[in-house]
Every structure is written in C-alpha cells, then in structure tokens.
Amino acid sequence: MTETAAQPVNAPFEYDRQLVISVNVSNFDAAVEWYREALGFEIVYRLDEYGWGEVRTPWGGVNIGLGESEELKHGGTVPTFGVKDIAAARAHLESLGTSFDGDTYEIGGMVKLCTFYDPDGNAWMLAEAQNRDER
C-alpha cells in the first residue's frame, strides 16, 4: 500500500462516514433473501410505501439500498467486495446458482477479481489482494 493511501482525504466538506450503495431490484423480499443467503447481509429497515429498504454489510457504515422498481436500470458502477479467499467466496455464490461474468482472473500478481450478478442483473465484484505483506 502506498503512503498516500494512509493520508486523510482533503475533502471540500465533512462526510458522516455512512455509505449506501443503491441498486434496483424487481422484488424486494426476494432481493433481501438473496443478499442474506448469498452475502450474509442483514436487513436494517424497510419502507414498503416507498419500495425501499437497506441491508447491512460487514463494513461499518456501508449499507446496500434496495429500491423495488418495475423497470430495472443498471449503471456503470460496480461495487467491489474485498475477500480473503476468492475461490471460497465464488464457490459459495456458485452453489446458489449465482451468475458470473467469466473466470476469476489475476492482475499483475496484485489482485484476483471476478464479477457476479444478483438475481436482477446488478453487477458486483469480488477482489482478493495478493502479496499483502509486500504492501
């Protein structure tokens, strides 16, 4: 890891250290169940009248917002989850029938990556850092 990565960000305003990654889903209940079973995320709250709710990730302050929509829209952003064992994580997701975009690949001995999709086609990635002791 570079020294600049440890330096605080000079932001133009103050953040509250909370991040919600919003994704569109076709069925809120089915999405909550998939994110629970596939990734271990827990529901925080739901607002049925708005077709919205959030699931909590293992990273403090980072939630996934699930917005139920009849017309799914997928953006160009692909959130990436850092994992310690990408093969084990991928095997678990594959055992649930999760769709992947090709094989796991490695970039320059630095990181292993693979892209997968939730049941509504939202793209996510897994990343396993390589040679951690050298950074």
Side-chain angles (χ1 to χ4, degrees), residues 4-20:
T4 57
Q7 299 299 317
V9 174
N10 186 16
F13 50 86
E14 189 174 353
Y15 289 93
D16 71 359
R17 306 191 57 84
Q18 301 293 311
L19 174 68
V20 176

Side-chain angles (χ1 to χ4, degrees), residues 1-7 110 129-135:
M1 187 164 302
T2 65
E3 288 197 31
T4 57
Q7 299 299 317
M110 187 173 117
Q130 304 294 291
N131 302 317
R132 285 187 192 103
D133 54 334
E134 294 177 12
R135 284 187 246 148

